[in-house]
Amino acid sequence: MRIARFTTGDDPRFGIVTGDLDEHGEPDPDSAVVALAGDPLYLGVEPLDEQVRLADVRLLAPVLPRSKVVGIGRNYAAHAAEMGNDVPSEPLMFLKPNTSVVGPGDPIFYPRQTSELHYEGELAVVIGRICRDVPAERAGDVIFGYTVGNDVTARDLQRGDVQFTRAKGFDSFCPLGPWIETELSTADLRVQTFRNGDLVQDGSTADLIFDVPALVAHVSSVMTLLPGDVILTGTPEGVGPMEVGDEVDVVISGIGALTNRVARRD
Ligand code: MG
């Protein structure tokens, strides 16, 4: 089931997106959104007898993390190598503020403090229930679903700062979407990033050093996770620059395509 957050001009609502996806993760033109009674994270999935055409809605970030986005660094060996780093012996965690989250189609703002803005296409895990110390074998019990993320990074600031907070924490540095897929095996999902239509990242979650259950276990051994919190699982090799005006698509098989354009903030 694909759950989106959307607006038709009024207050945001949630809905189930129907129809098939093409190989680029784009939905069938006849797809519809069946409205839900409320936020499925808190009310469960309660479909209403009401639907709108997907083409007539604006999709929003499918989840607003209640407290945090947890990033995982260097979780693909080839990406750690391209950055000149060793593979960590434990998941390397950092936080992105929930104010960094934007939705599909929203601009990624190029901050004046950087001159090296990078995309990082990533599988994003959406937590469904409050939890702590979750054993890896129980991770599925606390996961609501999966969406596509772009862990936007100011690479020059990341190199200069000891902490990643500034480099990964600007407003608009965490595009999420286009919706949450609730039924999915994450064993071997293709993660692709396109810059202005050119394929620049092409990885598979089969190459994650620490897989999704291991990440949920590790993160929840440190901090309580709340419904709507998000774990970004790390990026495959091929990270690189984005410039103002670029269109960046992150496509994950079985989920869909997240598209954003880079803009200068006036
Ligand atoms: Mg990342």
Side-chain angles (χ1 to χ4, degrees):
M1 183 166 51
R2 294 193 293 267
I3 295 186
R5 190 168 150 265
F6 69 96
T7 179
T8 52
D10 298 323
D11 288 344
R13 306 177 69 187
F14 293 85
I16 299 170
V17 179
T18 69
D20 295 326
L21 303 180
D22 69 16
E23 62 185 20
H24 195 68
E26 297 296 339
D28 190 306
D30 296 330
S31 296
V33 184
V34 179
L36 297 179
D39 187 337
L41 277 169
Y42 304 103
L43 294 179
V45 176
E46 299 250 5
L48 301 174
D49 186 18
E50 181 189 343
Q51 67 176 51
V52 284
R53 282 164 39 90
L54 180 61
D56 292 339
V57 310
R58 181 177 155 231
L59 294 178
L60 305 169
V63 61
L64 293 178
R66 191 164 172 185
S67 67
K68 56 199 168 288
V69 176
V70 182
I72 303 295
R74 303 172 198 162
N75 201 21
Y76 290 82
H79 169 63
E82 76 178 344
M83 302 303 292
N85 294 308
D86 292 331
V87 169
S89 57
E90 290 186 295
L92 173 65
M93 293 169 54
F94 58 90
L95 291 176
K96 290 169 88 81
N98 56 5
T99 45
S100 64
V101 171
V102 292
D106 285 339
I108 296 167
F109 286 112
Y110 201 121
R112 59 182 161 72
Q113 295 94 328
T114 180
S115 55
E116 197 178 1
L117 189 70
H118 276 200
Y119 53 80
E120 293 189 359
E122 307 197 5
L123 173 69
V125 180
V126 180
I127 298 297
R129 6 184 314 203
I130 186 168
C131 59
R132 203 182 89 191
D133 286 328
V134 181
E137 60 272 18
R138 299 282 306 277
D141 297 351
V142 305
I143 293 172
F144 181 72
Y146 304 91
T147 189
V148 182
N150 187 345
D151 175 22
V152 176
T153 302
R155 195 69 70 200
D156 47 356
L157 302 183
Q158 187 187 28
R159 278 196 299 268
D161 292 353
V162 174
Q163 302 289 335
F164 292 176
T165 307
R166 180 168 65 147
K168 289 176 176 282
F170 285 93
D171 289 1
S172 80
F173 270 30
C174 190
L176 295 174
W179 39 65
I180 298 168
E181 173 57 68
T182 59
E183 291 140 50
L184 191 68
S185 165
T186 59
D188 183 13
L189 299 174
R190 193 172 184 188
V191 180
Q192 296 175 296
T193 305
F194 298 83
R195 179 185 177 199
N196 298 325
D198 294 331
L199 181 64
V200 287
Q201 290 191 287
D202 192 1
S204 167
T205 58
D207 295 324
L208 285 169
I209 296 167
F210 301 102
D211 64 11
V212 168
L215 293 178
V216 170
H218 184 80
V219 174
S220 71
S221 76
V222 176
M223 57 187 77
T224 297
L225 292 169
L226 302 182
D229 282 351
V230 169
I231 300 174
L232 294 175
T233 56
T235 199
E237 68 177 314
V239 299
M242 302 184 285
E243 302 299 339
V244 171
D246 282 356
E247 185 175 273
V248 177
D249 309 321
V250 182
V251 183
I252 300 184
S253 56
I255 304 179
L258 169 67
T259 300
N260 299 89
R261 193 174 279 279
V262 182
R264 181 71 69 182
R265 191 191 294 279
D266 295 326

